[in-house]
Amino acid sequence: MKRLPQILRIIETERIYLLLALAIVAVVILEPGFANPLSVRGVLNQAAPSLIVATGLTLVLICGQIDLSIGSTLALAGMVAISLQPELGVWPAALAGIGAGVLVGLVNGVLVAYARIASILATLASMIAVQGIALTIADRNTVSGIDIGTSLWIQSSIATVLSPTILAALAVVISAQIVLSQTAVGRTIYLIGGSDNGGRLSGIRTERYLVAAFAACGGLAAGAGVLLSLGLNTGSAYFGESTVFTVIAAVVIGGTSLLGAEGSALRSALGVLFMAIIGFGFAMGGIPTFILQVVTGTILLGIVLLDSYLGLRRRRAWRLRRIAVQHEATAEGTTA
Amino acid sequence: MSPMPEPTHGPMSGGEAAVHPGPQTAGRQAARTSELVRRNGVFIALLVVLVGATLASPAFLDASNILNVLRAVAIVGVMAVGQTFVAIVGGMADLSAGAVVGLSAVVTLGLQSALGPVGATVVGLSVGVTVGLVNGMLVGRFRTNAIVTTIGAGVVVNGLALWYTAGNTMFGGDDAFHAIGTGSTLGIPNIVVAFLIVASAAQLVLSLTAFGRRVYSTGGNYEAARASGIRVRRVVLLAFAISGLTGATAGIMLAALLDQVNYDSGAGFTFSSVAAVAVGGTSLFGGEGSVVRTIVGVVIIGILNNIVVLVGLPLNAQIVVTGAIILVAVAVDSLTRRRVRG
């Protein structure tokens, strides 16, 4: 009987690989049509914006914070990028959209790091305010882009299974993963998420890292919004409405915790892919959307239950001690 | 002064640090003023907003306009009452509330022809309470993360509502039921009456019953409350069940008011109801706050939205203003809290 917790623990830590493998096998068996490059590109194109949003959110979550404004930022950036096209041209307008998102992120970061407002409250406020701004831009209407060529290009085939959109998403995920796992900055972020005090007491300027994480999150949410809007050649203030829920769900299924200091960009990305694949499988199989929702919600509930049953907090404390030791070692190495 | 370690301020922490009296009297005076502002700020804000609204538009004080303000916030207000319990007990927020509103509303209208309006309403209420109990079971009994749990429950509930309606709009068709939703009692719209009844009952439960005291103790210091013999898990469970009940009540009010609803009719209400709690000055991290504060928060948001209409600003400005007022409220709360800590 002692075996059971051990098996559960392995399932819990490796869950995203298991779930992803299961989903792929199930979809391939049930829908043999899935195993062709076109469907793969379709799924990846559709998942790309969420992959980018999830990466940004992961940075903030690892810091032990949350950002509820990602959906509004995504919508705002898309609106800006499309509605400024006639004046600025396609790419400068896209940059303006991303800039708007970075700005939102900076405001969030300053509110959390310097005004010391709990992130769930600060980003709840900015979520609502930014949504209002996005709605104002075209007075609740959608706007259409001027350049259908770009719109077709960014989802067009590169080496059959890829596209510019997909490459952008992969680049974001991979670079975030490298920063988080291979650099001192990455270790510091985990340390901050583990204990704000610990970080500050060991001389880290916690505030700057927090502002940077929120700015990155805002910028990435905006980047996702720009890609989404360019791909559809349409901007709408309603695009990001369910983003908070779906992305938080995907990220948690992937193994990034809302308690901070747990998870990685890679895991979050796999969580998004898992959701995209089962979504695609359900759509191809003609299974009604409501079953997909019930299944996703139930998986999420199962996972939080497993997390709390296995004492996520204890495991997290252990991991943090290890990171702190590594961090001290690096610090001593640099001063010596 | 020795540098005091700042408390963590993550989404899962925050709240109370021990009051740290400063050595100088001036500092103590400032701290006391800060504390005063923090405790009463929302009531002062209500006065300011009332006076401002009256000056901005003479039409504001019309009885019919005041009723408009209340009518506009009644449904979100009922949800916010439940969110207040969840916040005080330390559960942060119930993000499934909007989905519960949608499910209860479609069930209430959909079952009317089969069960009659009373039977359908009872089923609609039970559905919401069931969701609340499941949330409470998970968060209270198994100590799962409340935000993720209620997001998950919300997705499931939304799926069930979609299944039940197959994506179609549900129509009621019971004239008496619809008349209650749109009608008035003694000149006050019935949904406002319902809001006031729910809010008063909830405030009485919080301030006069043993359960109410346990909600505060559990949210204030979970371990201490448990050590003193409070069955903390059950208190948390009940707080979420109450949120399910108020969500369902809001759904039934919506159904009675409109007599036609979609599976996602409540989707936009979730964050508004949490916002009302925050504006009122109830901490999402537990231990303090009240339903009265939440009502004041709801009313402030309602009045500001009303002014936007009265002075002829674009409707979208309502949303920006709502965001700004939440920000001001939480910023004042956070800054004065810091002063108190010295």
Side-chain angles (χ1 to χ4, degrees), chain A residues 36-38 40-42 156-163 166:
Chain A
N36 81 62
L38 268 182
V40 173
R41 192 172 86 225
S156 64
S157 156
I158 296 176
T160 324
V161 293
L162 299 174
S163 75
I166 298 168

Side-chain angles (χ1 to χ4, degrees), chain A residues 170-289:
Chain A
L170 291 181
V172 164
V173 172
I174 292 169
S175 32
Q177 179 62 26
I178 289 174
V179 168
L180 280 175
S181 63
Q182 306 293 329
T183 68
V185 172
R187 271 202 301 281
T188 311
I189 289 180
Y190 281 98
L191 202 58
I192 290 172
S195 143
D196 194 39
N197 261 338
R200 190 174 289 105
L201 291 181
S202 58
I204 298 167
R205 291 175 194 266
T206 315
E207 287 85 358
R208 295 188 180 182
Y209 283 92
L210 283 178
V211 172
F214 275 100
C217 182
L220 288 174
V226 169
L227 277 180
L228 182 70
S229 285
L230 281 181
L232 298 167
N233 205 28
T234 305
S236 161
Y238 299 101
F239 271 164
E241 271 191 320
S242 58
T243 303
V244 185
F245 290 150
T246 53
V247 172
I248 290 182
V251 161
V252 170
I253 289 176
T256 299
S257 160
L258 263 67
L259 300 174
E262 178 90 26
S264 72
L266 180 66
R267 280 172 173 274
S268 294
L270 294 177
V272 171
L273 282 182
F274 168 71
M275 299 270 274
I277 288 170
I278 60 171
F280 184 86
F282 274 61
M284 292 244 316
I287 303 169
T289 323

Side-chain angles (χ1 to χ4, degrees), chain A residues 5-66:
Chain A
Q6 224 165 3
I7 294 168
L8 281 178
R9 181 145 302 176
I10 292 169
I11 291 177
E12 199 251 353
T13 48
E14 310 302 331
R15 66 188 177 218
I16 188 53
Y17 306 104
L18 294 171
L19 284 172
L20 199 57
L22 225 85
I24 292 173
V25 169
V27 173
V28 168
I29 290 174
L30 297 174
E31 292 293 328
F34 178 70
N36 81 62
L38 268 182
S39 326
V40 173
R41 192 172 86 225
V43 169
L44 289 176
N45 265 330
Q46 215 153 45
S50 299
L51 283 173
I52 298 175
V53 179
T55 306
L57 182 67
T58 301
L59 297 176
V60 169
L61 289 178
I62 291 176
C63 287
Q65 310 294 332
I66 196 167

